[in-house]
């Protein structure tokens, strides 16, 4: 994974706490805000709204789609730590100001809390999702 060890550990702690109590303790919420900065609160909002969908093809390939607060659907790849949103391109890739955008953080939090929606698609449908993203960028 490409996240710093402290971020990985925080997400593990959140998962453990959520499995035990169905909530995230305040100290871990503060840790989220400290490590992930301004992405933390909007990411938690996306998780609360159940905006994260795990898209799985028969081959086992997985990607995530996050319905952003603007109503646009963003594709996230947790395996390589990438999101198609403009904020990721600007603040993560160009400026190196953030570890990630709110969409990827929402994916990681949804994984930790077990709140991902599930969508099974054919290989062809998965390919179409990926190609649609390329057309948006081009």
């Amino acid at each position: 994974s490409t996240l710093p060890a402290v971020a990985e550990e925080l997400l593990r702690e959140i998962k453990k706490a959520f499995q035990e109590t169905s909530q995230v303790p305040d100290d871990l919420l503060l840790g989220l805000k400290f490590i992930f900065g301004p992405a933390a609160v909007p990411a938690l909002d996306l998780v609360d709204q159940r905006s994260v969908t795990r898209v799985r093809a028969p081959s086992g390939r997985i990607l995530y789609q996050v319905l952003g607060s603007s109503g646009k659907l963003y594709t996230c790849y947790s395996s390589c730590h990438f999101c198609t949103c403009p904020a990721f391109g600007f603040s993560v890739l160009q400026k190196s100001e953030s570890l990630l955008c709110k969409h990827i953080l929402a994916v990681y939090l949804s994984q930790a809390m077990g709140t991902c929606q599930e969508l099974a698609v054919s290989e062809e449908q998965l390919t179409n999702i990926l190609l649609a993203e390329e057309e948006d960028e081009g």
Side-chain angles (χ1 to χ4, degrees), residues 6-84:
V6 66
E8 293 274 350
E9 180 60 27
L10 178 63
L11 290 168
R12 273 194 295 276
E13 290 291 319
I14 288 172
K15 180 176 186 168
K16 185 172 174 246
F18 198 81
Q19 286 173 336
E20 292 170 1
T21 66
S22 296
Q23 49 192 329
V24 180
D26 289 348
D27 62 326
L28 295 180
L29 289 174
L30 282 171
L32 261 183
K33 198 153 170 43
F34 181 76
I35 292 173
F36 297 108
V41 172
L44 287 165
D45 287 342
L46 290 171
V47 172
D48 285 345
Q49 294 161 19
R50 298 185 66 83
S51 299
V52 178
T53 302
R54 180 184 5 231
V55 181
R56 180 189 302 266
S59 65
R61 291 192 305 170
I62 294 173
L63 59 83
Y64 292 85
Q65 289 192 311
V66 180
L67 185 60
S69 47
S70 66
K72 183 163 175 18
L73 202 57
Y74 297 105
T75 302
C76 298
Y77 308 90
S78 62
S79 58
C80 62
H81 187 72
F82 181 81
C83 179
T84 57

